[in-house]
Amino acid sequence: MKINVKHIAKLANLPLSVEEEIKFEKQLLEILSYVEKLKKIDTKNAKITSQITGLENVTSEDKASPSLTQDESLSNSKSNHNGLFKVPKIL
Amino acid sequence: MKPVIGLEVHVELKTKSKMFCRCSADYFGKKPNTHTCPVCLGLPGALPVPNKKAIEWCVMLGMALNCDIPQFSKFDRKNYFYPDLAKGYQISQYDEPFCLKGSIKLDSGKKIGITRVHMEEDTGKLIHETTEGEDVTLIDFNRSGVPLVEIVTDPDFDNAKNVLDYLKKLQQIARYLNISNADMEKGDMRLEPNISISTNGELPDYKVEVKNINSFRFVEKSIEYEIERQTNLIKESVKPTQETRGWNQAKQKTVTQRIKEESSDYRYFPEPDIPPIRWTKSQISNLKSQIGELPEEKLKKFKENYKLSDYDAEILTREVIQADYFEETVILGKKYGLTPKQIANAIINRRVDLEKILPAKLIEMIISAGKTDKVNDETLRKVIKEVLEDNPKIAQDYKKGKNSVIQFAIGQVMYIIRKKIDTEILRKLIMEELK
Amino acid sequence: MSLNTLSIKKAREGLSKRQFSSVELVRACISKIKERKNLNAFITVCEKEALEKARQSDKKIKDRIDLPLLGIPISLKDIYLTKGIRTTAGSKVLDDYIPQYNATVVKKLEDVGAIIIGKTNCDAWAHGSSGENSDYGHTKNPWSEAHVPGGSSSGSAVSVAAKMSFASMGSDTGGSIRLPASFCDVVGLKPTYGRVSRYGIVAMASSLDSIGHFTKNTDDSALMLSVTAGKDLNDSTMPSKNVESYESYLRRGVKGVKIGIPKEYFALGLDKRIKDNVIKSVKSLEKEGAKIESISLPNTEYATACYYIIQPAEVSSNLARYDGIRYGSARQNFGDEAKRRIMLGTYVLSSGYYDAYYKRAMQVRTLIKKDFDEAFKKVDVIITPVSPTLAWKLGEKTSDPLLMYLSDIYTVTANLAGIPGLSVPIGFIDDLPVGMQILGPQFSEGKLFQVGKAWENINL
């Protein structure tokens, strides 16, 4: 089994150093080989459970409520300009 | 070589609140980041609550496109990173969307397959600028979370004209349903065509996505440009690269935006924070009954029931407000012996301001315009004789078989008498005098 | 007797009788926090604010206002968003984050008079079973500072065990309340999934996160749940179940209650002394009239693998919002454990692997839930150990992530099945606390309190 750690880190938007890549590859492989044990079960006829409550049809009426103020919205950003969040230019 | 085009259109719904939170969805022109909350700003701990009306409108649009509405449907997370995507994932629908397998017929008679219609949320808006010497991108999250309906067609288009026709029809349906203004220029209807060229009658193994087509004006041009670009490449035995291109309005061409080295892995999985939707039969039929007459049906009715010309019927059914106004006036006008044709003429030719003039007033106007003054036959004959004497050409042309000259005579008589006279009586008298 | 050693019930009584003031309660807690600062149970202490609230509470008490938690200092795991009060989730990424809103539970607690004394330390992002993954230093076990207090709600467990607060709110995604409760000699409740609102609490794994609390005894636990439970329109995953009167269960005793003992939880790998202790405790409940029955939960051995696919997958998605733009700092600042789980989760969801891992795990989850559904047809509650071992030494498992994950084998099943679990202290082994957990069907918290209280009465 091999993991393309570089590719996974890219998908996950996680910049990793070379040392980290090596370290994590080893650890991830170990964990993955443990969870491989699920392959032993016969899941052919089992339904999937993506939610445990059994709830359905939970919605809200279309009514507008007050929003955060502009100051509140920006209050934790380190970089903003004229009420907008600011980041280095995206190509 | 034949172009193969499939379309992805996003329609922004004009609900009062956003898709997964109750911030006002009316964000256009508002001060930046004033329509945000923990949910649409992606703050830690926030949770989504779906907008019932948005879901209903999505289903109604699907129904208007003849889609199947599966009984069970759910939301999924589409995971990717971009600064305008607050949560780092978009709540969308993957394998169990609200509407599937529909169709729409174009004016040419060509049938376009609708693959699916599903619900998702909009992202924030990016503004690229240079401020204080720095090249930056600025982000406004007011639009983040606004409900979007995505309509995907089968790759059934083969030319730009058809695409334009489809867009116009889709826009009309959205406006008829009153769920969106579907204005391309304002961004509440967005088009992304996928274009490729088939060389052997089979579906090509690549496709080019074109973004940034922001107005109706450039739909045909941009698509035709791309078709030509790809055709030229293929003629030189070069396979067009699978990529996303942007329409550059200034340069009037498509340019490479980003090459998809690997197609994006969105790692879709069922949205754990939102329970699925299961419809009852009565809920579905209830939504269907809310739809009312769609443009195609109305057009047919106007031609067949009201006996209007294709031209008149098309103009009157362009917008549902006008069509409804017309029908209301027809019903009222019946009592006064007015025909649908008369009413159509009045609306179209007089360019009536429907908001200022109520149907009852319009009928009054038509009737008074049609009222004729009573002038006795003797007086009429006297004037007719005068006109015929002054204009010998009338009698000459009439002898030659030019019947249109009667209309001229009528006009001359009316000009002299300066009263509105029943043209049928005049015509009869004039023809008698000519004999 | 120091005021901070009282139970909530006794403290409320004393306040109403004007035997002491809320200010005195807060002062006692603050003093304890300072005295045992080295336990590192708190990331933020709200001394000034708490004293001010205490003064206001004393005024209300004087005016004979009666609210369930009026004047009572409680602490919150630092994943609970508190408006205007720094919230870090135990991570440097949120080192300076000041939330713009309150979690629903925080609002509920404050509405009934609770005073927030501080935000407790935890494994960063709730990722951990020992308290050693915090970016703010590990928390120490008050019973033995060389041993782990358990995690991820480490600071919360310690704040109650060391009498720094009268109760503490935590979270349990794979055992993060029950495990530290059992290592620290306090009562820990993991309610049914969807019983208590998750809105405003940093999400770890959305389909597994359970919002619960630590208290000194079962009575207090029932009281806390009666405040925090109940439908929240901001959280779409909460069934419309009425909040029962949990108090009424506390005096019912355990006569006729059917207790299931699942053989899979008492097999190889369990410390024999813990096994003997739990069996002994269950036998004493039998003496009080409970009926003991041997049952089987056959898919137990797959639960940890199932959990360590589903949880990291949801974690990887839930942590995507931390990009440093709207709040927080760069993703480089995630600690190792967070990075590990993000990558594991990304992998099991990625193209080509989704079916083999995530989809399969969702199917196994159905089988695990079914095991419990079948079992609860025969028994009312299930009792098992909480941990296969005693609290381990600090640093013992930190270089082996998989070994750390295997500490969760008895606790993850309740999260996968969405059922509630109450961890109660059953004694000491080698001077380290040991607990047992009482599990019940969804929304059976009343029954859990019933059995927990009966056990407490025997143990007095």
Side-chain angles (χ1 to χ4, degrees):
Chain A
M1 201 200 315
K2 274 221 103 198
I3 287 189
N4 186 344
V5 174
K6 257 201 174 72
H7 171 69
I8 295 294
K10 187 152 173 249
L11 276 182
N13 194 15
L14 275 182
L16 294 181
S17 66
V18 175
E19 294 86 30
E20 281 178 307
E21 278 179 21
I22 298 170
K23 175 176 73 182
F24 287 132
E25 181 173 358
K26 180 171 175 290
Q27 291 173 338
L28 289 174
L29 281 173
E30 225 174 83
I31 297 163
L32 282 170
S33 76
Y34 173 75
V35 302
E36 290 284 309
K37 66 154 58 181
L38 287 195
K39 296 209 164 131
K40 290 198 261 154
I41 317 180
D42 176 17
T43 54
K44 242 186 314 233
N45 295 320
K47 278 206 171 112
I48 63 162
T49 295
S50 62
Q51 298 194 345
I52 204 70
T53 60
L55 279 173
E56 291 175 343
N57 301 335
V58 180
T59 59
S60 166
E61 295 302 316
D62 181 32
K63 240 177 104 179
S65 291
S67 298
L68 292 171
T69 65
Q70 191 186 74
D71 282 344
E72 285 173 325
S73 176
L74 297 167
S75 62
N76 283 285
S77 74
K78 308 220 171 21
S79 160
N80 54 70
H81 175 73
N82 288 347
L84 295 146
F85 295 92
K86 187 173 82 170
V87 296
K89 183 157 186 188
I90 299 156
L91 300 155
Chain B
M1 287 203 283
K2 194 170 146 206
V4 175
I5 306 168
L7 301 181
E8 260 174 50
V9 176
H10 285 91
V11 170
E12 205 175 77
L13 298 181
K14 55 181 193 182
T15 47
K16 294 202 192 91
S17 60
K18 291 187 179 182
M19 186 65 217
F20 297 111
C21 66
R22 306 289 80 81
C23 282
S24 161
D26 183 21
Y27 68 90
F28 200 82
K30 300 289 192 306
K31 266 173 74 181
N33 294 304
T34 52
H35 281 213
T36 69
C37 73
V39 181
C40 57
L41 198 57
L43 296 186
L47 295 171
V49 184
N51 183 326
K52 183 160 174 239
K53 184 120 266 163
I55 294 173
E56 290 176 343
W57 284 1
C58 172
V59 170
M60 282 163 66
L61 183 56
M63 286 172 169
L65 294 170
N66 303 301
C67 290
D68 295 331
I69 311 297
Q71 198 193 18
F72 182 87
S73 187
K74 67 166 169 40
F75 288 98
D76 301 284
R77 289 193 188 178
K78 180 180 182 182
N79 298 281
Y80 67 96
F81 289 90
Y82 209 62
D84 65 3
L85 190 63
K87 297 186 296 300
Y89 59 87
Q90 180 195 41
I91 301 179
S92 177
Q93 295 191 289
Y94 182 52
D95 58 340
E96 291 180 288
F98 286 122
C99 321
L100 285 168
K101 294 212 203 73
S103 66
I104 184 172
K105 209 154 65 155
L106 302 179
D107 282 342
S108 60
K110 187 178 172 77
K111 192 167 168 198
I112 302 293
I114 305 289
T115 319
R116 51 187 279 150
V117 180
H118 76 247
M119 202 71 244
E120 58 186 41
E121 53 176 343
D122 210 342
T123 61
K125 242 194 172 128
L126 296 179
I127 304 162
H128 305 290
E129 246 182 48
T130 305
T131 63
E132 293 149 18
E134 246 189 299
D135 282 339
V136 294
T137 296
L138 303 170
I139 317 171
D140 177 11
F141 287 97
N142 283 352
R143 195 183 70 177
S144 166
V146 169
L148 283 183
V149 175
E150 180 173 328
I151 304 114
V152 182
T153 72
D154 295 340
D156 289 346
F157 294 92
D158 57 20
N159 68 59
K161 268 207 154 40
N162 280 345
V163 171
L164 194 62
D165 188 9
Y166 168 79
L167 284 179
K168 288 196 174 139
K169 285 195 150 34
L170 191 57
Q171 181 187 63
Q172 192 182 35
I173 291 173
R175 288 178 178 177
Y176 256 64
L177 292 172
N178 203 20
I179 60 178
S180 171
N181 293 327
D183 199 334
M184 271 189 95
E185 283 74 8
K186 282 227 175 89
D188 37 35
M189 184 165 86
R190 300 167 214 166
L191 167 70
E192 266 158 37
N194 285 300
I195 302 169
S196 40
I197 309 286
S198 168
T199 50
N200 55 3
E202 306 272 316
L203 216 59
D205 60 353
Y206 77 95
K207 60 183 182 202
V208 174
E209 192 184 24
V210 179
K211 285 185 138 108
N212 205 38
I213 303 169
N214 291 336
S215 82
F216 261 111
R217 273 196 301 148
F218 295 119
V219 168
E220 273 187 278
K221 236 196 164 101
S222 54
I223 292 177
E224 277 164 1
Y225 175 90
E226 183 57 25
I227 290 173
E228 195 183 326
R229 185 191 75 89
Q230 290 189 24
T231 306
N232 288 340
L233 282 173
I234 291 175
K235 280 191 182 143
E236 288 169 27
S237 303
V238 176
K239 180 173 153 189
T241 316
Q242 169 128 334
E243 57 170 338
T244 299
R245 295 176 75 85
W247 169 249
N248 187 315
Q249 203 147 297
K251 295 193 181 138
Q252 294 279 291
K253 55 203 281 223
T254 63
V255 291
T256 304
Q257 276 196 342
R258 43 177 180 260
I259 295 181
K260 293 181 174 179
E261 327 140 333
E262 33 190 79
S263 45
S264 307
D265 185 355
Y266 294 118
R267 290 157 279 130
Y268 285 99
F269 69 98
E271 171 56 79
D273 290 328
I274 303 176
I277 306 288
R278 188 184 300 272
W279 300 106
T280 62
K281 283 205 170 81
S282 70
Q283 283 171 322
I284 296 290
S285 58
N286 189 336
L287 284 177
K288 190 131 202 195
S289 69
Q290 285 181 48
I291 287 179
E293 236 168 15
L294 290 169
E296 205 185 327
E297 290 167 71
K298 253 206 220 300
L299 188 71
K300 194 160 176 258
K301 181 168 79 174
F302 278 28
K303 287 190 220 176
E304 289 173 17
N305 296 14
Y306 300 124
K307 306 270 190 274
L308 295 180
S309 66
D310 284 1
Y311 178 75
D312 286 353
E314 198 269 310
I315 293 186
L316 287 174
T317 59
R318 223 174 257 168
E319 285 173 37
V320 71
I321 296 175
Q322 198 166 57
D324 288 347
Y325 182 98
F326 170 76
E327 291 196 271
E328 210 186 309
T329 314
V330 164
I331 293 171
L332 271 181
K334 252 200 180 116
K335 296 192 218 149
Y336 299 92
L338 293 181
T339 64
K341 176 79 189 154
Q342 282 175 290
I343 292 167
N345 281 345
I347 294 175
I348 295 171
N349 296 332
R350 285 162 175 268
R351 289 182 220 165
V352 175
D353 185 344
L354 303 184
E355 290 186 20
K356 294 220 176 87
I357 300 184
L358 293 176
K361 185 91 176 82
L362 181 64
I363 285 168
E364 250 183 63
M365 285 167 63
I366 298 172
I367 291 172
S368 72
K371 268 201 173 73
T372 54
D373 295 311
K374 277 215 180 301
V375 178
N376 66 43
D377 281 8
E378 246 191 72
T379 319
L380 284 177
R381 279 189 209 278
K382 229 170 102 190
V383 176
I384 289 170
K385 278 197 179 105
E386 243 180 77
V387 167
L388 289 176
E389 266 174 40
D390 288 347
N391 299 280
K393 204 165 184 290
I394 295 177
Q396 286 167 22
D397 283 353
Y398 185 67
K399 277 205 184 93
K400 285 183 196 162
K402 285 193 183 147
N403 290 339
S404 59
V405 84
I406 304 287
Q407 198 62 34
F408 175 72
I410 289 173
Q412 292 296 301
V413 173
M414 301 251 258
Y415 180 71
I416 293 171
I417 293 186
R418 295 229 182 264
K419 281 201 177 119
K420 203 120 180 276
I421 297 168
D422 187 344
T423 48
E424 291 315 305
I425 296 176
L426 256 186
R427 187 187 298 272
K428 197 173 105 209
L429 292 175
I430 290 172
M431 285 177 34
E432 279 175 20
E433 286 301 316
L434 281 169
K435 280 204 180 70
Chain C
M1 183 205 248
S2 320
L3 291 177
N4 55 330
T5 60
L6 293 172
S7 66
I8 297 176
K9 274 202 155 153
K10 282 273 180 306
R12 281 290 310 140
E13 263 173 48
L15 286 170
S16 310
K17 290 189 182 142
R18 314 288 294 285
Q19 286 167 355
F20 43 78
S21 65
S22 172
V23 167
E24 287 175 87
L25 290 183
V26 169
R27 288 221 171 95
C29 289
I30 297 286
S31 147
K32 195 48 130 178
I33 292 172
K34 289 184 173 152
E35 182 197 312
R36 300 205 71 182
K37 201 171 175 191
N38 75 319
L39 293 179
N40 202 21
F42 282 81
I43 293 178
T44 300
V45 180
C46 309
E47 183 173 351
K48 241 177 55 196
E49 297 87 343
L51 282 169
E52 179 49 41
K53 277 267 161 68
R55 281 188 275 271
Q56 290 169 14
S57 304
D58 284 330
K59 267 206 206 92
K60 289 192 177 130
I61 293 168
K62 195 160 148 222
D63 293 339
R64 298 204 189 282
I65 293 177
D66 184 18
L67 296 167
L69 293 173
L70 184 56
I72 305 292
I74 63 160
S75 60
L76 307 167
K77 184 174 183 178
D78 209 14
I79 59 170
Y80 282 65
L81 265 68
T82 40
K83 186 171 178 178
I85 301 173
R86 180 188 182 220
T87 300
T88 68
S91 170
K92 281 279 182 259
V93 171
L94 289 183
D95 189 48
D96 55 4
Y97 178 60
I98 313 276
Q100 301 98 318
Y101 76 109
N102 269 323
T104 296
V105 167
V106 172
K107 191 171 178 301
K108 282 184 133 182
L109 290 164
E110 289 191 312
D111 281 350
V112 299
I115 297 170
I116 296 167
I117 197 138
K119 309 297 292 297
T120 59
N121 202 356
C122 58
D123 287 300
W125 309 103
H127 299 167
S129 313
S130 68
E132 293 169 290
N133 287 333
S134 169
D135 288 355
Y136 296 89
H138 61 258
T139 303
K140 295 200 175 99
N141 191 323
W143 298 100
S144 165
E145 296 185 15
H147 289 84
V148 302
S152 62
S153 314
S154 39
S156 281
V158 170
S159 76
V160 174
K163 317 282 192 273
M164 298 167 177
S165 63
F166 284 77
S168 189
M169 295 301 302
S171 69
D172 188 312
T173 305
S176 292
I177 288 177
R178 289 163 289 153
L179 189 65
S182 74
F183 284 179
C184 293
D185 195 51
V186 293
V187 173
L189 174 72
K190 174 215 168 293
T192 307
Y193 176 87
R195 176 77 282 184
V196 180
S197 171
R198 292 182 294 123
Y199 185 75
I201 297 169
V202 175
M204 179 178 161
S206 310
S207 76
L208 299 162
D209 290 350
S210 233
I211 307 307
H213 48 263
F214 298 87
T215 50
K216 294 176 176 120
N217 61 36
T218 308
D219 281 21
D220 285 358
S221 193
L223 173 60
M224 288 293 286
L225 187 64
S226 64
V227 170
T228 59
K231 191 151 167 109
D232 177 16
L233 292 178
N234 289 307
D235 179 345
S236 305
T237 58
M238 302 184 74
S240 301
K241 238 3 182 128
N242 279 336
V243 180
E244 292 187 90
S245 154
Y246 298 116
E247 291 272 311
S248 65
Y249 284 87
L250 295 167
R251 309 201 197 279
R252 290 190 194 178
V254 92
K255 197 149 182 222
V257 174
K258 291 191 230 129
I259 301 176
I261 304 297
K263 59 179 196 218
E264 292 84 4
Y265 289 63
F266 291 85
L268 263 178
L270 172 60
D271 184 318
K272 187 176 184 305
R273 300 166 297 173
I274 297 179
K275 179 179 179 179
D276 291 343
N277 247 283
V278 175
I279 299 291
K280 201 171 96 189
S281 310
V282 171
K283 285 224 152 77
S284 57
L285 284 168
E286 196 178 25
K287 281 209 195 80
E288 298 297 311
K291 299 268 183 281
I292 313 300
E293 193 175 321
S294 196
I295 60 168
S296 171
L297 298 168
N299 290 292
T300 301
E301 63 172 300
Y302 301 109
T304 310
C306 175
Y307 174 78
Y308 274 99
I309 290 173
I310 294 177
Q311 171 254 107
E314 295 181 4
V315 161
S316 71
S317 182
N318 284 331
L319 293 188
R321 64 188 62 196
Y322 300 95
D323 58 10
I325 295 175
R326 290 147 288 121
Y327 49 84
S329 61
R331 289 171 79 76
Q332 280 96 314
N333 293 328
F334 276 125
D336 276 7
E337 187 59 45
K339 283 183 177 160
R340 235 181 327 262
R341 296 191 190 204
I342 289 171
M343 284 199 286
L344 184 54
T346 303
Y347 180 82
V348 301
L349 288 174
S350 65
S351 175
Y353 298 103
Y354 178 91
D355 282 355
Y357 291 99
Y358 191 74
K359 181 163 171 221
R360 181 166 273 266
M362 285 202 285
Q363 288 172 306
V364 173
R365 188 172 184 179
T366 305
L367 298 176
I368 290 171
K369 171 127 205 312
K370 232 151 127 231
D371 281 358
F372 281 103
D373 290 343
E374 287 307 306
F376 287 127
K377 285 184 184 152
K378 304 191 211 120
V379 300
D380 300 313
V381 299
I382 292 170
I383 292 184
T384 84
V386 180
S387 166
T389 66
L390 297 175
W392 52 92
K393 281 218 168 79
L394 285 165
E396 198 177 303
K397 298 188 185 179
T398 46
S399 53
D400 192 339
L402 184 57
L403 187 60
M404 190 71 88
Y405 296 167
L406 293 171
S407 330
D408 299 338
I409 51 173
Y410 297 148
T411 47
V412 295
T413 47
N415 301 88
L416 290 167
I419 60 175
L422 182 71
S423 174
V424 293
I426 60 173
F428 287 74
I429 296 169
D430 282 357
D431 299 326
L432 292 168
V434 179
M436 70 181 183
Q437 67 173 344
I438 307 161
L439 304 172
Q442 290 177 327
F443 298 104
S444 66
E445 286 86 351
K447 208 40 129 297
L448 305 187
F449 295 135
Q450 181 181 343
V451 175
K453 179 70 175 181
W455 161 249
E456 242 169 57
N457 287 337
I458 300 169
N459 224 22
L460 281 169

